[in-house]
Amino acid sequence: LQLDRQFRVSKVFVGYVTIVGTATELPVFWFSQRLIQRFGHQRLLLFSHAMMILRLLLLSQLGDGYQHTVFFIQALHGFCFALFWSAMVDATFKLAPVHLKGTSQSLLSTAYYVVGPAVGSPGWGALYQWTGRAAPAYFGGVMLVGASMVGVSHLRLDHVIREQSDGHDDDEIRLVNV
């Protein structure tokens, strides 16, 4: 929306920006299981939130004539989305009872790809339309800070996963990343 409205860039330009974002996801997804094992779900989620806050702040500061810097900002996408998604999919799989593992993945996907955009897109678009580019980015950053604070103070995700996996064969609870 910002690229289209503020900079009036071509659809080809947006396509190239999308390629950059996708390219940065691939190595993160490839190494996701190792990253989860080394740092844990909660740290990866917090780091992905921090990277998204940085990305939103950088996007909010783009001025006219600087649209090409969006390629560098978009390079953060792998750390924003792929780390978040890998940690959430793995944690959801590990936390779900055996008979609900498929259902849990469907619910996570629906929440992220259907419910999130159904609420976020109209809200983000309206805020952007009424206030310009900075307010939605700041609002998104504040929401991520709040989510991170709740995650740090109340969510002991890795502790719960370890407790649930005690006594189980590791193969029963591991999501295979290829």
Side-chain angles (χ1 to χ4, degrees):
L1 185 62
Q2 181 179 2
L3 290 174
D4 182 44
R5 286 218 174 144
Q6 182 181 349
F7 298 119
R8 308 245 187 268
V9 300
S10 69
K11 302 295 184 205
V12 173
F13 183 91
V14 173
Y16 287 136
V17 170
T18 302
I19 289 170
V20 169
T22 303
T24 62
E25 290 176 2
L26 296 175
V28 175
F29 280 130
W30 182 262
F31 293 106
S32 63
Q33 194 62 42
R34 290 183 203 162
L35 291 168
I36 291 168
Q37 290 169 347
R38 178 162 185 183
F39 299 107
H41 299 87
Q42 192 159 341
R43 283 189 184 136
L44 293 181
L45 290 171
L46 290 173
F47 185 74
S48 72
H49 283 180
M51 290 297 98
M52 187 61 177
I53 291 167
L54 175 62
R55 187 172 167 214
L56 288 170
L57 289 174
L58 290 172
L59 286 171
S60 73
Q61 300 305 307
L62 279 182
D64 293 338
Y66 291 96
Q67 62 268 26
H68 289 86
T69 60
V70 79
F71 288 106
F72 299 106
I73 298 169
Q74 186 67 0
L76 294 171
H77 184 68
F79 297 109
C80 298
F81 174 72
L83 273 183
F84 171 83
W85 192 248
S86 297
M88 286 303 297
V89 166
D90 193 65
T92 301
F93 182 83
K94 289 179 177 177
L95 290 170
V98 173
H99 68 284
L100 293 176
K101 291 200 181 290
T103 301
S104 70
Q105 297 297 303
S106 297
L107 288 172
L108 174 64
S109 183
T110 298
Y112 189 84
Y113 288 111
V114 178
V115 177
V119 173
S121 291
W124 189 273
L127 190 58
Y128 183 92
Q129 185 175 348
W130 293 329
T131 64
R133 71 179 188 266
Y138 296 146
F139 180 72
V142 168
M143 288 183 63
L144 284 167
V145 167
S148 297
M149 290 173 61
V150 168
V152 168
S153 63
H154 297 299
L155 186 64
R156 297 176 0 177
L157 189 59
D158 293 303
H159 177 72
V160 172
I161 289 172
R162 275 193 302 277
E163 280 183 357
Q164 283 193 348
S165 66
D166 287 346
H168 297 316
D169 181 49
D170 204 29
D171 291 336
E172 292 177 352
I173 60 167
R174 182 164 322 283
L175 176 63
V176 177
N177 284 339
V178 180

